Amino acid sequence: MVLGVPGLSHTDERRYAAYVMNTALGGGMSSRLFQEVREKRGKAYSISSFLASFQHTGYLAVNAGLSADSVVEVIEVVRDELKKLARDGLETGELGRAKSQIKGTILLSLESSESRMSRIAKNEMHYGHNIEPQAVAEAISNVSHDDVIGIARELFSDRMGVALLGDVAGVKIDEAILSPA
């Protein structure tokens, strides 16, 4: 299953807040979705979220490997977590952990020549100049609680799209559960 909402272009300055929010939402085993859906409820084998950005637009998606009988419940849990983010943002510790995780990933990516060259090429194509990893880490450090709430409110204000793959012939999804309200 994949759930998605419209996102940001790769040049949108709010992308750093989106990175932090996405990391806390579904960026690893300590993320909200992994803990709530997989660990607490046992409703998915895997669950995560990711951002994709393009020149003029982007999207945020949540993907989950689950059984057909868990689809509706997992959609409801994801929707509720998105609502919580838009209403309350991240707890202080959660905000700090997400920032640290992103900055750690940046440092680890410097160990690979392929990652370094890919980052430089993308920077040249998207921005016309290289953005140093230290500048990205600083921008991540500067993301505030209010920044996260603001981007969550914007991204999660519309209905989610859903795609299912597999033996889901009997799954009935009421469109109301895809709405943020």
Side-chain angles (χ1 to χ4, degrees), residues 4-55:
V5 295
L8 304 174
S9 77
H10 54 243
T11 57
D12 193 310
E13 287 301 317
R14 299 167 302 159
R15 68 188 178 275
Y16 302 110
Y19 297 159
V20 171
M21 180 198 63
N22 177 66
T23 299
L25 176 65
M29 293 189 306
S30 64
S31 69
R32 287 184 175 197
L33 292 177
F34 192 91
Q35 289 299 310
E36 185 64 29
V37 174
R38 182 171 194 247
E39 297 298 302
K40 183 177 173 186
R41 298 173 187 248
K43 294 296 179 181
Y45 175 74
S46 65
I47 186 162
S48 61
S49 63
F50 61 94
L51 294 165
S53 299
F54 308 102
Q55 186 172 0

Side-chain angles (χ1 to χ4, degrees), residues 2-3 12 18 25-26 35 70 93 108 114 138 146 172:
V2 178
L3 296 166
D12 193 310
L25 176 65
Q35 289 299 310
S70 297
L108 288 174
E114 183 179 350
E138 184 177 328
D146 290 340
K172 301 281 187 244

Side-chain angles (χ1 to χ4, degrees), residues 91-142:
E91 296 173 9
T92 304
E94 201 176 17
L95 180 64
R97 282 189 304 275
K99 290 178 181 183
S100 293
Q101 183 177 339
I102 294 167
K103 290 186 280 186
T105 301
I106 292 169
L107 286 174
L108 288 174
S109 74
L110 297 175
E111 295 295 318
S112 161
S113 296
E114 183 179 350
S115 292
R116 291 177 74 146
M117 294 305 108
S118 177
R119 180 186 55 76
I120 291 169
K122 287 177 184 177
N123 282 337
E124 287 295 331
M125 288 186 302
H126 299 317
Y127 309 108
H129 61 89
N130 187 31
I131 300 173
E132 292 296 328
Q134 296 85 350
V136 175
E138 184 177 328
I140 293 297
S141 292
N142 291 333

Side-chain angles (χ1 to χ4, degrees), residues 1-7 22 25 33 48-52 58-64 75 78-79 82 155-164 177-180:
M1 173 183 79
V2 178
L3 296 166
V5 295
N22 177 66
L25 176 65
L33 292 177
S48 61
S49 63
F50 61 94
L51 294 165
Y59 63 90
L60 180 142
V62 173
N63 61 311
I75 291 173
V78 170
R79 181 204 57 212
L82 300 181
L155 296 182
F156 307 142
S157 66
D158 205 357
R159 182 187 340 209
M160 295 180 288
V162 62
L164 302 173
I177 70 170
L178 299 172
S179 175

